[in-house]
Each structure stands twice: as C-alpha cells, then as structure tokens.
C-alpha cells in the first residue's frame, strides 16, 4: 500500500494572518490620526473632528482592500522569481453560495483542492484554498470554477515548505500566502 499524500503545512501562514490583522488595525489607526489632524484645520474644530473621524474611517475601509491587493501582487511577483513552478491536479472543486442575515450581498465561495509532487523532495502533497467573492463578482467565481474543474491542471509555486496557487486572485482577505 502506497504512502498517503500529506498536506504541505507552512507555519508562516499564521504569521501572514497576524500581519494582516495587525496591519489592518494600524492602517485604520494611522488613517484616523491623519484625518483628525487635517480635518479640524479645514473647518470648525469640533465639526472637523467629527468629519475627520467619519471620513478617515470611511477612507480606511475603502482603501484597505487595495493595500492588501498591492501586497499580494508584490508577494506573488517575488515568489514567481524565487519559487519553482509546479503543475498540480485539481482533485476537488466546488462552488457554494452563502447568504448572511447582516449582509445584503451573497458570498460565492469557490473551494479548490489539488494534489502535486514537491519538486525538492518528490513527495506527493495536497493543498486546498477557498476563494470568497461578493455577489458582484459572481461571474469571476463561476469562471474560476469553469477554468479549474476536477482533473484540470492548476499552476502552483513551491518554495521550501510554502506552496500556493499561481493565480492573480487573492483567496481570503487575510491570506497573503
């Protein structure tokens, strides 16, 4: 009986999650500090402070996903230079739509599970990722599932104990892989 494939565990994933959460808190804090410093000088101090807090918070919430996207693109570009490209086979693919009571938009979740052979060790591993997209990106979710059905090949990047899908889409908001 052959050896069962194992999941390639990268302990840095939890560090990336922590960096994302701490980075979000620091970014919102920094944005609020700048907005509450600038806004009172433009209008009446008490009104400016209120508008500074509200405007800074709104600005931070709108721009934080773009900051994460830039970090994701930079990380992916770095890994494309230093990691080994590998072709993985999709073993499971699924699409699920969830509705939340506090969110008017549905969330489309695409889950991909792949098997691949590690280029350094020759050992077979599996890995899975879940992509979450709001309703207005439903076509992107369906296209992702259509591009990578079960049995399809998916490009990956492997470097040491880290492996990730070589796709432009970023999975969850905390995932910087």
């Amino acid at each position: 009986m052959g050896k069962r494939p194992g999941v390639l565990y990268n302990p840095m994933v939890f560090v990336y999650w922590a960096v994302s959460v701490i980075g979000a808190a620091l970014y919102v804090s920094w944005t609020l500090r700048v907005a509450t410093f600038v806004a009172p000088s433009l209008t009446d101090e008490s009104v400016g402070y209120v508008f500074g807090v509200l405007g800074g918070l709104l600005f931070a919430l709108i721009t934080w996903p773009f900051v994460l996207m830039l970090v994701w693109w930079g990380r992916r570009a770095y890994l494309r230079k230093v990691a080994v490209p590998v072709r993985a086979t999709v073993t499971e693919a699924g699409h699920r739509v969830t509705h939340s009571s506090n969110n008017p938009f549905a969330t489309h979740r695409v889950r991909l599970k792949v098997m691949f052979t590690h280029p350094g060790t020759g050992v077979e591993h599996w890995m899975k990722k879940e992509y979450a997209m709001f309703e207005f990106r439903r076509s992107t979710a369906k296209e992702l599932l259509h591009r990578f059905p079960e049995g399809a090949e998916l490009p990956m990047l492997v470097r040491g104990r880290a492996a990730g899908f070589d796709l432009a889409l970023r999975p969850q908001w905390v995932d910087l892989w």
Side-chain angles (χ1 to χ4, degrees), residues 73-144:
W73 284 343
R75 176 121 174 96
R76 185 169 166 244
Y78 168 75
L79 287 171
R80 284 184 141 185
K81 289 179 185 175
V82 299
V84 178
V86 173
R87 304 301 285 180
T89 304
V90 178
T91 57
E92 291 179 24
H95 176 234
R96 183 172 53 114
V97 181
T98 57
H99 297 276
S100 175
S101 62
N102 61 353
N103 185 355
F105 301 108
T107 302
H108 293 262
R109 298 185 182 278
V110 177
R111 180 176 291 243
L112 298 172
K113 182 177 177 183
V114 299
M115 298 283 289
F116 66 97
T117 304
H118 194 285
T121 62
V123 176
E124 194 172 55
H125 293 283
W126 64 271
M127 190 175 129
K128 62 183 173 183
K129 285 282 185 191
E130 183 173 297
Y131 293 85
M133 296 167 227
F134 284 124
E135 180 66 30
F136 56 87
R137 295 191 61 206
R138 172 181 40 188
S139 60
T140 305
K142 289 185 176 185
E143 178 191 337
L144 181 64

Side-chain angles (χ1 to χ4, degrees), residues 22-43:
I22 292 168
L26 291 175
Y27 182 75
V28 170
S29 165
W30 175 81
T31 305
L32 285 174
R33 181 173 294 187
V34 169
T36 55
F37 177 75
V38 172
S41 64
L42 300 176
T43 62

